[in-house]
Amino acid sequence: MIAFWIILTGALVAITCGLLGCFLVLRKMSMVGDAISHAVLPGIVIAFLLSGSREPLPMLLGAGATGLVATFLIAYFHRRAKLQTDAAIGVTFTFLFAIGIILISAFAGQVDIDQDCVLYGEIAYVPIDLWITASGTHLGPRPVYILSSVLLLVILFITLGYKQLKLTSFDPEFAAAIGISTSLWHYLLMGAVSLTTVSSFESVGAILVIAFLIGPPATAYLLTRDLRQMLWITAGLGVFIAFTGYWLAYWLNASIAGCMAMVVGVCFLAAFVRYRLTTGAKTVMTSAA
């Protein structure tokens, strides 16, 4: 059962992050997840200071609020200051991360808090993070319930807003011309990304979340130019990566998160080689014609 829970958790994170990552890749905002993973640190510290607790709920609420602030600032600097998206991301997450470091330093005597143990979790610990009822009944790992709920919310969000997300990703000018608010859907997408990344960090760790947010969508992008197919391929890759990464780690006696992230890279490399061979063959055929 330990293997089952770890693979299931990895698959849930991979699918959820990957589905949203498809739209980030199309919008050329792939590193937003990395920015959020650093920017939420002050929210964690403030949540601890206000609640006096290191329980997951206040930590997630504080981190989630700061994640939304980070996405707002990135969009604001990009739109108002005309900064490139990567520059806006770099300025925002370093500023907020620095504030978090200062807060930890300033309250080092009173606050026992470490971003590594509070936020950057380890997927191998999922089977022991149990949800136990008041009567003492074990319902299974708590992260599975949290991540399953987030996945359902993301699927509902994409299903209901598929047309708007598609148009604002491919042709924002046309979307605005027909009355779709590009700003509204941008912030809705960033809010979904913030919720997903923050809820996943505590369970599987930041590196794995970032790998799932970028790797499978980028791989799927090399395999198809149809958005629906891209979403399905990304979900399938997420399950394959979680399964293969776990058993590779078991065979090598190595880090589970590290092996899953490595499988992400191998899948991308395989798709890239296929893409180059396909485009090369088309070029040769065109030249011969």
Side-chain angles (χ1 to χ4, degrees):
M1 286 300 292
I2 291 178
F4 171 77
W5 290 123
I6 293 176
I7 294 172
L8 177 60
T9 302
L12 289 172
V13 174
I15 295 172
T16 309
C17 291
L19 292 177
L20 294 175
C22 289
F23 296 100
L24 295 181
V25 168
L26 294 174
R27 292 165 181 253
K28 300 179 181 179
M29 298 186 67
S30 299
M31 295 309 295
V32 166
D34 187 29
I36 293 175
S37 70
H38 291 81
V40 297
L41 181 57
I44 296 172
V45 181
I46 294 172
F48 180 86
L49 293 174
L50 293 177
S51 67
S53 170
R54 283 174 49 178
E55 291 297 318
L57 181 58
M59 296 293 102
L60 289 176
L61 290 177
T66 316
L68 290 175
V69 170
T71 57
F72 172 79
L73 290 175
I74 291 170
Y76 184 82
F77 293 145
H78 174 63
R79 295 174 185 270
R80 300 299 182 183
K82 304 301 181 182
L83 283 176
Q84 295 293 327
T85 302
D86 57 348
I89 290 174
V91 170
T92 300
F93 91 74
T94 51
F95 172 70
L96 292 175
F97 186 68
I99 292 177
I101 295 297
I102 292 172
L103 288 174
I104 290 179
S105 302
F107 295 97
Q110 299 99 330
V111 180
D112 177 21
I113 186 170
D114 178 3
Q115 61 168 328
D116 290 328
C117 65
V118 173
L119 183 63
Y120 302 158
E122 167 57 55
I123 192 172
Y125 298 155
V126 166
I128 63 175
D129 187 4
L130 300 175
W131 184 8
I132 304 175
T133 64
S135 61
T137 304
H138 292 197
L139 299 179
R142 179 182 54 85
V144 171
Y145 292 92
I146 296 175
L147 296 172
S148 297
S149 301
V150 174
L151 175 58
L152 291 176
L153 289 174
V154 168
I155 292 175
L156 182 63
F157 170 65
I158 293 176
T159 301
L160 296 178
Y162 179 79
K163 174 185 175 182
Q164 291 84 351
L165 289 169
K166 181 178 180 179
L167 288 176
T168 54
S169 297
F170 283 102
D171 196 343
E173 290 79 12
F174 175 72
I178 62 175
I180 297 176
S181 175
T182 56
S183 297
L184 172 62
W185 284 97
H186 172 80
Y187 287 122
L188 287 175
L189 177 62
M190 292 301 103
V193 171
S194 180
L195 171 66
T196 300
T197 52
V198 170
S199 62
S200 301
F201 285 152
E202 191 244 344
S203 301
V204 304
I207 298 301
L208 199 53
V209 171
I210 297 168
F212 284 145
L213 196 65
I214 302 170
T219 303
Y221 183 76
L222 294 177
L223 298 175
T224 182
R225 288 297 185 266
D226 181 87
L227 179 56
R228 289 186 184 274
Q229 291 183 10
M230 184 177 177
L231 292 170
W232 281 108
I233 291 173
T234 298
L237 280 173
V239 176
F240 172 79
I241 290 167
F243 181 84
T244 307
Y246 173 81
W247 289 112
L248 179 63
Y250 180 82
W251 180 58
L252 296 175
N253 192 25
S255 165
I256 299 174
C259 287
M260 287 185 180
M262 188 186 74
V263 175
V264 172
V266 171
C267 290
F268 177 80
L269 181 61
F272 175 75
V273 171
R274 176 187 179 278
Y275 173 78
R276 292 298 301 168
L277 292 175
T278 303
T279 54
K282 289 182 179 179
T283 301
V284 172
M285 291 176 65
T286 302
S287 300

